[in-house]
Amino acid sequence: MSAPWLTILWLAPAVGALAVLAVPNTRPDVAKWLALVVSLVVFGLSLGLAVGFDADGARYQFVEDLSWIPALGTRYALGLDGIGLVLVLLTAVLLPILILAGWGDADHSGSLDHAGGRRQKGPHIYLALMLSVEAMVLMSFVALDILLFYIFFEAMLIPMYFLIGGFGRQQGVDRSRAAVKFLLYNLFGGLIMLAAVIGLYVVTARSELGENGAGTFDLRAIVDAVSAGELDAGSGLIRMLFLGFMFAFAVKAPLWPFHSWLPDAAVSATPASAVLMMAVVDKVGTFAMLRYCLQLFPDASRYFAPLIATLAVIGIVYGAILAIGQTDVMRLIAYTSISHFGFIILGIFALTSQGQTGSTLYMVNHGISTAALFLVAGFLVSRRGSRLIADYGGVQKIAPLLAGTFLIAGLATLSLPGLAPFISEFLVLIGTFTRYPVAAIAAASALVLSAIYILWTYQRMMGGPPRPVGEGPGAAARPMRDLHGRELAVVAPLVALLVVFGVYPKPLLDVIDPAVGHTMSTIDERDPAPTVPLPDGGPP
């Protein structure tokens, strides 16, 4: 029997979080280094899984399947497919980088006590929360039991709530309001999903899957039953169950018009926490659309696909337009993520192999590019103490490395050819055009809009004469410093990945393509045949 590698994968950061919590408040450096080592161990485990994964082998590999709650028909079932693998790798790559980026984030956090002093929370709590989120996200990517997935899908909201509300950059009511808004939106979506999960359980109990009146939460068994037409449920009920799952994932993703919690949460959190939320946690929503919505409810997915594609296109254009009008650089980046999530969801519900491959690749590339742009913007804000674009100018003359990395990350965000997001966005547009040409053309307009908000922002912040840090006669004597060692260690791997995957995405596509093929086969969907009208007006 092989080792339970997937259990070890998610337990490592969970146990690491407990170990970090046990570090005394008087030893913050020990807590930081311990958290970094744990995250690197998880990264090593993920690389081992990638090496051992056979792209041409079984759909789910490293499978673990144990009895958990027999009375409910739920099992401790884990398995990894190609889509889950690339997202596991994304999570494992980003966590060490985020810990380094947020090395000093918790050092001065805390609330004012009755004497006016600041109560120190300590970095050990902050780092333990980060590792807890990683553990729950990893479990979400490998769970093959629907109830098991749901538990961790909801549980990850708690540490994220405390990361936003307890350690955010904004003080007082602003970050508390943003944290509560984040929690309420996602909890409400989760409650709707819980009703759908229960409804699906009842449906399985009525079918041949049920044993002694009990249903099942086994994803593989339910998907096989759906493919064989063995579920005893009408189309109306199936569509309601689909909407219950889809609503929760649309809030998490976030899909317009369920997006409004994201900008406030992203601005209120520390840059590292905001990246954890946008680049990692929110991917659970789009991943779940592929794994659960499409496979459990293929007919309902086809029925609602035009509506969801329309909402995705609205989100693409809406996010890009609002990004242009932002005066806050961090809020601008948050709105760009709303636009990018629209592309991801559009590719999923185009129901084509190119669209879904592009969407999966986009999840990875968006995580890398958003991490680079948001973290570099965070370094800028930490130097000047302002998020307002108008407070910057001439950075490229006094901090060329800082300005250069901001430019590369920005160009990746607008999907410049040669950088990683271009391939994924191109695949999404091609896959969408064959099914919904009008939606693809409308979505392509965001390419122009993204060029406006990125290049205009760069011109205002990095070009022109240098602006001094601070005010008063001595301000000019304190120029903005360039990236230093730790910051370079944060930015360099992200820039390298943007370039490598922009030129050579084959390692990712080799594991994504077979998984997408399995999904398309499971839902009995085929790519539309291309049609080209003949010049004489005859039939294509």
Side-chain angles (χ1 to χ4, degrees):
M1 179 179 178
S2 61
W5 290 115
L6 298 184
T7 296
I8 296 171
L9 178 72
W10 77 266
L11 269 183
V15 172
L18 295 175
V20 170
L21 279 177
V23 175
N25 287 349
T26 56
R27 303 298 300 275
D29 288 340
V30 173
K32 294 175 183 179
W33 283 106
L34 178 58
L36 181 60
V37 169
V38 169
S39 67
L40 290 173
V41 169
V42 175
F43 174 58
L45 289 170
S46 70
L47 286 181
L49 291 172
V51 171
F53 188 86
D54 181 5
D56 298 321
R59 178 173 190 180
Y60 296 113
Q61 301 179 30
F62 308 103
V63 173
E64 303 171 33
D65 194 350
L66 302 171
S67 178
W68 182 26
I69 311 176
L72 290 179
T74 187
R75 304 182 64 80
Y76 178 79
L78 309 180
L80 192 64
D81 67 352
I83 297 172
L85 174 62
V86 295
L87 294 175
V88 164
L89 287 169
L90 172 68
T91 304
V93 166
L94 286 183
L95 255 293
I97 293 173
L98 296 182
I99 289 173
L100 275 177
W103 199 254
D105 283 350
D107 289 345
H108 305 289
S109 64
S111 56
L112 296 178
D113 59 23
H114 65 276
R118 186 166 294 282
R119 255 191 241 108
Q120 294 290 71
K121 292 186 176 72
H124 61 297
I125 299 177
Y126 174 80
L127 295 167
L129 291 171
M130 296 276 284
L131 291 173
S132 298
V133 172
E134 180 182 27
M136 295 174 188
V137 168
L138 291 174
M139 171 58 92
S140 299
F141 290 145
V142 301
L144 294 179
D145 183 275
I146 297 171
L147 183 60
L148 184 65
F149 167 83
Y150 173 79
I151 291 171
F152 284 87
F153 178 82
E154 288 292 274
M156 71 180 69
L157 301 177
I158 304 304
M160 274 308 313
Y161 167 80
F162 286 110
L163 283 171
I164 298 169
F167 294 91
R169 287 265 174 118
Q170 293 184 357
Q171 296 296 323
V173 67
D174 289 337
R175 74 181 187 190
S176 297
R177 185 185 295 115
V180 170
K181 188 176 182 180
F182 159 82
L183 187 63
L184 290 180
Y185 266 68
N186 284 275
L187 279 179
F188 181 67
L191 287 174
I192 300 297
M193 180 182 170
L194 178 60
V197 169
I198 294 172
L200 182 61
Y201 175 81
V202 172
V203 169
T204 61
R206 294 178 187 167
S207 70
E208 298 178 6
L209 293 173
E211 296 181 4
N212 300 322
T216 182
F217 292 104
D218 189 320
L219 173 68
R220 295 161 297 174
I222 299 174
V223 168
D224 289 343
V226 170
S227 299
E230 297 174 355
L231 283 190
D232 182 17
S235 60
L237 175 58
I238 291 297
R239 289 171 184 174
M240 291 297 292
L241 295 177
F242 168 85
L243 289 175
F245 277 78
M246 183 64 197
F247 181 79
F249 303 151
V251 172
K252 179 86 79 177
L255 173 66
W256 185 92
F258 313 110
H259 67 282
S260 62
W261 61 267
L262 177 63
D264 292 337
V267 169
S268 299
T270 64
S273 299
V275 170
L276 180 64
M277 177 183 67
M278 293 188 294
V280 176
V281 172
D282 291 351
K283 297 302 188 310
V284 177
T286 47
F287 164 80
M289 292 177 192
L290 275 168
R291 174 165 285 187
Y292 296 97
C293 286
L294 294 190
Q295 296 189 88
L296 293 174
F297 315 106
D299 291 337
S301 298
R302 279 187 284 268
Y303 180 81
F304 287 108
L307 172 62
I308 297 171
T310 301
L311 295 179
V313 171
I314 294 173
I316 290 168
V317 178
Y318 169 89
I321 291 175
L322 263 65
I324 293 173
Q326 296 305 308
T327 58
D328 181 324
V329 64
M330 309 304 263
R331 191 172 289 272
L332 181 151
I333 300 170
Y335 276 109
T336 68
S337 283
I338 293 172
S339 183
H340 293 148
F341 273 106
F343 274 107
I344 295 171
I345 297 170
L346 178 63
I348 292 171
F349 284 92
L351 301 180
T352 62
S353 58
Q354 297 97 331
Q356 293 181 7
T357 297
S359 291
T360 305
L361 187 61
Y362 211 136
M363 293 184 217
V364 177
N365 292 336
H366 168 263
I368 299 169
S369 61
T370 295
L373 189 59
F374 212 92
L375 293 176
V376 172
F379 296 151
L380 280 167
V381 172
S382 67
R383 284 158 166 74
R384 188 169 294 279
S386 172
R387 302 196 311 267
L388 297 179
I389 295 172
D391 288 343
Y392 293 84
V395 175
Q396 63 185 7
K397 296 180 180 179
I398 55 178
L401 284 177
L402 190 55
T405 52
F406 186 91
L407 178 61
I408 294 172
L411 293 176
T413 300
L414 63 82
S415 299
L416 183 76
L419 296 175
F422 169 74
I423 299 296
S424 46
E425 193 163 299
F426 188 69
L427 284 171
V428 167
L429 290 174
I430 288 177
T432 302
F433 188 83
T434 59
R435 184 83 66 181
Y436 305 116
V438 175
I441 293 169
S445 67
L447 300 177
V448 177
L449 297 174
S450 62
I452 293 173
Y453 64 67
I454 287 297
L455 297 179
W456 190 31
T457 299
Y458 182 85
Q459 180 187 37
R460 287 180 289 170
M461 296 182 70
M462 308 299 165
R467 294 176 63 92
V469 178
E471 299 177 356
R478 295 189 292 116
M480 181 179 292
R481 60 190 174 91
D482 211 340
L483 294 175
H484 56 70
R486 177 177 59 83
E487 294 170 338
L488 285 171
V490 167
V491 173
L494 296 173
V495 171
L497 289 173
L498 289 174
V499 174
V500 170
F501 290 146
V503 177
Y504 189 68
K506 187 176 183 295
L508 296 177
L509 293 176
D510 282 347
V511 295
I512 293 172
D513 281 338
V516 167
H518 282 299
T519 301
M520 294 288 289
S521 175
T522 299
I523 65 177
D524 194 24
E525 195 68 47
R526 294 171 178 81
D527 293 331
T531 58
V532 181
L534 296 178
D536 61 0

